Amino acid sequence: MTEATGGIDFEDEGSGIVKKFMFVNRKAPYGTIYALEGLEVVLISAAFDQDVSLVFLDDGVYQIVKGQHTKAIDVKNFSPTYRALEGYDIEKLYVLKESLEERGLTVDDLLVDVQVLDAAGMAKLMAEQDVVLSF
C-alpha cells in the first residue's frame, strides 16, 4: 500500500494479478465533487490494468443521462467522458433497475450502454468484487 494509491494495494506491474474494482456512483453529477472525483479515480484504476466495473445507483444515474446542459450553473459538463470509458477498457457499466424506475428513466435516456440489474443481481455482483468504493 502507498499513500499515492489512496491505500489501495495495487500489485506490481507485470505480476499478472488483477483485482476486481467496483466504483459505485450514488450522487448527482453536479453540486458536489463526488461524481467528477469518482470518474477520475476510475480512469486511474484502469491505467493500472485492473478489472474495473462502474455502477450507478440512486441519483448517480443522472451522471449518465443524455443532454446535460451545465452552462446555467457555470460548471463544466463532464458527461461526455463516460462515452470515452470504452477506450480505457472500462466496459462493465451497471445501473440499478429500481434507481432508473424511481426517476422515470429508461436505458434510452442514457448516453452509454449499460447492463440493468435488479437489487438481487447488484448484490451478487458486488459480492464478487475484491474492492468496492462508493462515491
Side-chain angles (χ1 to χ4, degrees):
M1 258 185 266
T2 67
E3 189 173 313
T5 61
I8 297 170
D9 188 17
F10 289 99
E11 296 295 329
D12 292 339
E13 186 174 323
S15 68
I17 297 173
V18 176
K19 290 191 175 190
K20 291 183 174 184
F21 282 79
M22 174 182 278
F23 297 93
V24 180
N25 296 285
R26 305 183 81 110
K27 305 286 185 187
Y30 307 102
T32 69
I33 62 167
Y34 291 104
L36 182 57
E37 293 290 321
L39 183 57
E40 289 179 356
V41 172
V42 165
L43 295 172
I44 291 167
S45 298
F48 284 93
D49 293 327
Q50 298 301 302
D51 182 353
V52 174
S53 298
L54 201 50
V55 171
F56 300 91
L57 307 175
D58 304 328
D59 285 344
V61 298
Y62 290 125
Q63 293 180 29
I64 54 173
V65 168
K66 293 177 185 171
Q68 296 181 31
H69 302 283
T70 60
K71 190 173 183 176
I73 58 174
D74 198 27
V75 294
K76 184 176 180 177
N77 177 0
F78 60 88
S79 66
T81 307
Y82 291 105
R83 288 192 300 252
L85 292 176
E86 189 174 344
Y88 292 86
D89 293 327
I90 302 171
E91 299 171 345
K92 298 176 183 175
L93 282 72
Y94 304 92
V95 171
L96 183 64
K97 178 182 175 187
E98 291 82 355
S99 293
L100 277 179
E101 291 174 351
E102 290 168 0
R103 287 155 184 83
L105 299 170
T106 70
V107 292
D108 292 334
D109 297 312
L110 306 178
L111 54 86
V112 290
D113 292 331
V114 298
Q115 185 173 349
V116 178
L117 299 176
D118 62 15
M122 191 65 75
K124 181 178 183 293
L125 182 65
M126 286 182 175
E128 296 170 352
Q129 304 302 308
D130 295 310
V131 178
V132 177
L133 298 172
S134 183
F135 291 91

